[in-house]
Amino acid sequence: MEDITNYEFTVFDEWSLYDQIIERNYMKHVEISAAVRQDLSPPSQIAEVWDLGCGCGSMAAKILSGWSVPKYTGVDVSQAGLARINTNLSSSASELCAESSEIVSFLERPVSICPSVILASFSLHHFPMDEIEKVLELIVKHMDAKSRLVWIDPVRQSHESREEFNRRFLLEISESWTSLTPEQILEVDEHITQYDFPLDPIERERLISLAGLHGQSVSYRDPFFTAEIFTRASAAE
Ligand SMILES: C[S@@+](CC[C@H](N)C(=O)[O-])C[C@H]1O[C@@H](n2cnc3c(N)ncnc32)[C@H](O)[C@@H]1O
C-alpha cells in the first residue's frame, strides 16, 4: 500500500494548485459532472452516496447540485479537503459525513447498508496495478442490485504504456494549462510521475470483469479521461 502519510503531505502541499485546476476546468469537471448527472438521474433513486477520495467534494457537488440526496459520505486522507465538504455540499445532501480514512480501510469496515451511488472520481488511479484489483473487489462487496459505481479516471489509450500516457498528458498540460506557473507545472509533473497509475484499457476491462462489474453507460470519454457507470454484473443479468 502507498505511504499514505507521505501522500497526505503531497496533496496538502498542492491543494491550492488543485483548486486552480478545478476552477479553470483543466480536468473537465464541468463536462464530466454534467454527463454523469444526466446518466444518474432521476435523483429520487439515490439514497446514500459514498465519495471515495472525495478531496473537497468538488466533483460530487457538481454532479449532485441541488438534488439534496438523503446522505453523502466523503472519504479521504486529506483533512484540508474534508474540511470543505460542508461548504461545497450543503445544498446537495441532507446529511453530510466526512470520513478521515484511507479508501481500503474504509471499504474493509463492515457496514449494514449498500449505498445507491459509489463515486470514485480521479482517485482510484492513485492505486498501483497490484492494488486496484482488491479495491474494486471491496467496492463490489458494498453494492446491491440497485447500487451504481461511478468511476472517473484517466485511462491510457490502446498499447500506450504508463510512461507514454504520462508524457502525452504532461505535454497537454504544458500546452493547455496556461494559467499555471512553470513551478506549478513542475509540481504537477512530479505528482503525476510519482502517484498516477492510469490503467491500460484491456487491463481495465479484465479488472472490471473480474470484479463482477457490468458497464451501464460510458458517460464521458476524451483522449485522457473516462467516466463510466457500473452496476454489479449479477444485478444486470
Ligand atoms: C485528484 S484528487 C480528486 C478529488 C475529487 N474526487 C475530484 O474529482 O476532484 C484525489 C483525491 O483522492 C485522495 N486519495 C488518493 N488515494 C487515496 C487513498 N488511498 N485513500 C483516501 N484518499 C485517497 C487524495 O487525498 C485526493 O484528495
Side-chain angles (χ1 to χ4, degrees):
M1 185 61 56
E2 198 168 66
D3 180 347
I4 296 302
T5 314
N6 183 29
Y7 190 82
E8 156 79 24
F9 174 75
T10 306
V11 171
F12 184 79
D13 231 26
E14 289 182 352
W15 205 255
S16 63
L17 172 55
Y18 194 59
D19 276 346
Q20 201 177 324
I21 290 168
I22 294 173
E23 206 172 293
R24 294 273 175 162
N25 197 32
Y26 288 149
M27 285 170 66
K28 307 293 177 206
H29 279 67
V30 172
E31 294 84 347
I32 293 172
S33 60
V36 169
R37 183 179 166 89
Q38 190 169 336
D39 288 346
L40 278 185
S41 73
S44 55
Q45 290 177 0
I46 302 175
E48 179 157 351
V49 177
W50 289 357
D51 188 359
L52 306 177
C54 59
C56 63
S58 49
M59 182 65 87
K62 285 182 169 57
I63 293 171
L64 304 174
S65 175
W67 278 1
S68 199
V69 300
K71 186 171 178 188
Y72 166 92
T73 299
V75 181
D76 209 290
V77 287
S78 167
Q79 293 297 339
L82 291 171
R84 289 157 61 193
I85 277 178
N86 272 333
T87 310
N88 288 343
L89 280 134
S90 57
S91 74
S92 308
S94 308
E95 186 183 345
L96 293 173
C97 185
E99 282 282 346
S100 176
S101 172
E102 195 280 318
I103 290 170
V104 170
S105 315
F106 174 81
L107 292 170
E108 280 177 337
R109 285 184 218 164
V111 281
S112 52
I113 63 106
C114 291
S116 341
V117 173
I118 299 179
L119 172 63
S121 172
F122 293 120
S123 54
L124 299 189
H125 73 285
H126 292 303
F127 287 96
M129 271 292 294
D130 57 336
E131 293 174 14
I132 188 74
E133 183 179 325
K134 180 184 179 189
V135 178
L136 291 176
E137 189 187 307
L138 285 169
I139 287 175
V140 173
K141 279 192 182 155
H142 289 286
M143 294 171 72
D144 65 13
K146 289 184 178 166
S147 305
R148 283 170 291 175
L149 166 66
V150 180
W151 185 3
I152 302 166
D153 249 339
V155 176
R156 279 148 52 183
Q157 294 192 331
S158 303
H159 311 298
E160 193 175 44
S161 67
R162 173 182 178 235
E163 291 70 26
E164 284 165 343
F165 176 92
N166 286 349
R167 221 176 298 129
R168 186 167 62 84
F169 190 27
L170 286 164
L171 181 66
E172 168 75 9
I173 290 169
S174 63
E175 286 175 351
S176 310
W177 297 19
T178 49
S179 78
L180 302 194
T181 63
E183 292 73 26
Q184 287 175 318
I185 297 270
L186 188 65
E187 215 176 325
V188 174
D189 185 333
E190 283 169 359
H191 175 91
I192 287 173
T193 306
Q194 190 171 358
Y195 296 111
D196 282 13
F197 299 91
L199 284 169
D200 162 79
I202 292 172
E203 180 59 10
R204 183 179 142 105
E205 280 312 311
R206 190 189 72 78
L207 290 167
I208 287 165
S209 158
L210 192 68
L213 287 164
H214 170 81
Q216 182 187 294
S217 60
V218 177
S219 304
Y220 177 91
R221 181 170 283 154
D222 71 19
F224 298 100
F225 309 131
T226 295
E228 193 167 357
I229 301 183
F230 299 92
T231 55
R232 274 181 76 140
S234 54
E237 285 156 10

